Amino acid sequence: MNAVKPANYAKVKAQELQNKLYLAAKEKSKRRFHALYDKIYREDILWEAWRRVKGNKGSGGVDGMTIDQIVKVHGEEQFVEEIRRQLTTGVYHPLPARRKEIPKQDGKLRPLGIPAVVDRVAQMATKLVIEPIFETDFKECSYGFRPKRDAKGAIRHIRRAVKKGVYWVVDIDIAGYFDNIPHEKLMKLVEQRISDRRILKLIRKWLKAGFVKDDQFYETDLGSPQGGVISPLLANIYLNYLDTIWENKFTELGTLVRYADDLVILCKTKEEALKSIDVLKAVFGKLELQMNTSKSKLINLWNDKSGFDFLGMHHRKIPKQVKGIERYILRSYPSKKAMKKMKEKVKEVTEPRNRLFWTMNRMVDELNPKIQGWRNYYAMDTFADLFLNKIDWYILKRLTLFWNKKRNRRKKHSHSRIAGIVAQHSGLKKLVG
């Protein structure tokens, strides 16, 4: 393999291949691609895959090898070349993922699979090649983990639909979606577009690779574990079955908006909403998925009595005077869960006692990226300012506590004005204003 190419070279060449594959798939909606495997170990594809995995950072897998070790000890060229050699000779075999459990807001744990870095690069290279093909089949209602699409786009879709006269919302939660995708049914959907046996074999290997938890190996006969680079694409391929059926047969019942396994259906009448639930149950039955009845809801959006949470936002119709007439307008603002999570993040930064040695500048530098991220996402509706302002006050409260503890003051919550001025001079950003 040649020496490391400029980062932009691999990116441009990979984009050229993706464009060709996208156009070819778009031209013939029934075409099955049979010669893709050799594209995966192309030099530009592997380097672009490595660039993206490196940029995403993340910890090491079961082999203990981290991205820093690859860069500083093993060498990037040698690492990428070894992946290419394994793929070209057919000796590549994925390692089991390292299982880590992440606490959820409800006290339960979300299982997360962390593949080895080598497997993340191989998955990313495969994703770069096959994703453009499936993108031509994905529907407008789908926003999760797709190029040039995001959660804010899904929220805008909801707001547009509600403006056209939506009064009922079917808010659906799929029970353990990523962990319950049947492998064979998923592979049949993949095979509708991919006929290259080596690619199909590769995907099956990742699905069957298993995971290690507490030094114990577990097989995986079901699911596409969260944490794998290619898992979101496979999850979208599987639920595209629902999107396609809905678009072809049931759009008159309501507007479907989906972000990965989170979905809502926006209906004009209660009757349409109830029919939508029956359709979803039937489709989930075919997909061998289950609706989580404890979390799924039917919401009446007629006035400000009830709303629904979707993608970190609470959506509710709020009364507003328009030319002297009271109208109910859909507003989107941070959900209670999101507000709680923001406060927890602020506390995580400001609470540790070993950070009392930090300067205010360092504390502000740590907080600012989080504040900017929240502002970018949650400030899409001016009504959200009422809630974001509460987080600004909470940040000031935590910084006042930090400031007074540093000075061993008895009254830990006093002198908030001084702490605020110091934080402002240190460049503290605000969610509002």
Side-chain angles (χ1 to χ4, degrees):
M1 184 179 276
N2 297 330
V4 180
K5 300 281 186 182
N8 200 46
Y9 167 83
K11 185 178 180 180
V12 169
K13 296 298 288 182
Q15 186 65 59
E16 286 176 2
L17 173 63
Q18 288 183 308
N19 289 341
K20 287 179 182 177
L21 290 168
Y22 178 86
L23 292 172
K26 194 174 182 69
E27 186 180 359
K28 295 181 179 179
S29 60
K30 301 296 182 184
R31 176 175 172 180
R32 298 174 73 220
F33 290 76
H34 66 278
L36 294 174
Y37 188 80
D38 61 325
K39 312 285 191 300
I40 291 172
Y41 56 76
R42 261 177 41 171
E43 183 179 355
D44 53 305
I45 293 296
L46 281 177
W47 277 108
E48 175 61 10
W50 164 242
R51 184 188 70 82
R52 293 192 185 193
V53 170
K54 182 180 171 184
N56 290 338
K57 299 178 181 178
S59 54
V62 292
D63 60 354
M65 187 180 290
T66 65
I67 289 171
D68 278 348
Q69 286 176 331
I70 292 165
V71 173
K72 296 173 183 177
V73 181
H74 299 277
E76 296 174 70
E77 271 190 79
Q78 186 177 334
F79 175 73
V80 175
E81 169 60 21
E82 176 58 21
I83 297 175
R84 189 196 68 79
R85 185 193 68 77
Q86 289 184 25
L87 289 170
T88 52
T89 57
V91 299
Y92 168 77
H93 291 287
L95 294 166
R98 178 167 64 87
R99 173 63 65 93
K100 185 177 180 181
E101 294 185 327
I102 310 296
K104 295 167 68 175
Q105 292 287 333
D106 58 7
K108 295 180 181 179
L109 297 172
R110 172 183 285 115
L112 185 70
I114 305 173
V117 179
V118 61
D119 295 322
R120 299 212 291 271
V121 174
Q123 287 187 24
M124 182 65 80
T126 304
K127 179 176 177 281
L128 286 170
V129 172
I130 70 172
E131 185 176 56
I133 296 166
F134 289 101
E135 268 296 315
T136 63
D137 299 330
F138 291 161
K139 306 304 177 186
E140 283 297 310
C141 65
S142 169
Y143 287 88
F145 307 110
R146 292 183 58 192
K148 300 179 181 178
R149 290 182 153 246
D150 56 20
K152 290 176 80 170
I155 291 168
R156 283 192 288 267
H157 194 150
I158 288 171
R159 289 161 72 88
R160 287 194 302 270
V162 170
K163 277 184 180 180
K164 295 177 182 178
V166 163
Y167 299 103
W168 292 87
V169 177
V170 180
D171 181 11
I172 297 297
D173 182 86
I174 303 174
Y177 173 60
F178 281 86
D179 294 326
N180 289 294
I181 301 174
H183 291 172
E184 287 311 309
K185 286 193 173 182
L186 169 61
M187 291 309 300
K188 283 181 180 178
L189 292 171
V190 173
E191 287 167 16
Q192 288 181 0
R193 277 301 208 168
I194 308 291
S195 59
D196 188 322
R197 290 184 180 181
R198 291 179 296 177
I199 294 273
L200 298 173
K201 184 178 178 182
L202 203 54
I203 294 173
R204 280 195 176 92
K205 280 183 178 180
W206 289 322
L207 291 173
K208 301 289 186 186
F211 63 90
V212 172
K213 179 185 174 186
D214 299 327
D215 297 324
Q216 178 72 40
F217 172 76
Y218 297 86
E219 292 183 349
T220 45
D221 297 318
L222 196 66
S224 179
Q226 294 186 68
V229 173
I230 205 164
S231 290
L233 174 59
L234 297 177
N236 270 332
I237 291 170
Y238 200 62
L239 275 184
N240 188 58
Y241 178 83
L242 164 65
D243 301 343
T244 303
I245 286 178
W246 193 269
E247 184 179 278
N248 292 341
K249 295 183 179 180
F250 300 106
T251 50
E252 75 280 357
L253 291 180
T255 300
L256 169 66
V257 180
R258 182 174 68 80
Y259 188 96
D261 59 327
D262 292 325
L263 62 100
V264 291
I265 297 175
L266 310 153
C267 308
K268 292 184 178 181
T269 68
K270 186 176 183 179
E271 183 184 11
E272 290 172 347
L274 293 172
K275 284 182 181 177
S276 297
I277 293 171
D278 290 337
V279 170
L280 288 175
K281 285 180 178 178
V283 175
F284 288 165
K286 286 189 176 183
L287 291 173
E288 295 182 41
L289 300 172
Q290 287 191 337
M291 190 184 296
N292 188 335
T293 52
S294 64
K295 291 186 177 181
S296 300
K297 298 173 185 175
L298 177 61
I299 301 105
N300 183 354
L301 268 189
W302 182 262
N303 51 28
D304 61 347
K305 301 300 181 187
S306 59
F308 65 100
D309 291 351
F310 189 66
L311 302 178
M313 295 271 202
H314 185 72
H315 309 272
R316 184 185 292 253
K317 283 190 173 181
I318 305 292
K320 182 180 180 181
Q321 291 292 324
V322 180
K323 295 181 180 180
I325 302 172
E326 187 176 78
R327 297 186 185 278
Y328 285 87
I329 309 295
L330 187 75
R331 311 310 296 257
S332 304
Y333 49 90
S335 66
K336 287 181 181 178
K337 189 186 288 187
M339 292 284 287
K340 184 181 177 183
K341 200 170 182 180
M342 281 190 253
K343 287 181 179 180
E344 286 173 353
K345 289 288 184 184
V346 173
K347 196 171 182 179
E348 281 175 18
V349 173
T350 56
E351 186 176 48
R353 292 196 63 82
N354 61 355
R355 294 189 177 181
L356 292 177
F357 298 103
W358 284 17
T359 62
M360 182 65 85
N361 279 356
R362 186 174 177 186
M363 186 62 75
V364 166
D365 286 345
E366 187 76 13
L367 284 170
N368 273 347
K370 293 176 174 57
I371 295 169
Q372 186 64 53
W374 294 328
R375 185 164 70 185
N376 290 346
Y377 185 71
Y378 289 103
M380 64 185 296
D381 187 328
T382 54
F383 191 80
D385 289 354
L386 295 171
F387 300 86
L388 297 178
N389 196 45
K390 293 179 181 179
I391 302 298
D392 278 334
W393 276 107
Y394 183 76
I395 292 170
L396 178 59
K397 177 183 170 183
R398 293 300 312 176
L399 288 177
T400 299
L401 199 59
F402 162 74
W403 183 254
N404 289 333
K405 280 182 177 179
K406 273 178 71 72
R407 281 150 183 75
N408 292 316
R409 287 187 172 131
R410 278 181 152 186
K411 296 181 179 179
K412 303 300 182 187
H413 294 281
S414 64
H415 302 285
S416 62
R417 184 171 173 274
I418 295 171
I421 291 170
V422 175
Q424 187 178 356
H425 280 294
S426 297
L428 180 70
K429 292 184 177 182
K430 286 191 172 185
L431 285 162
V432 180

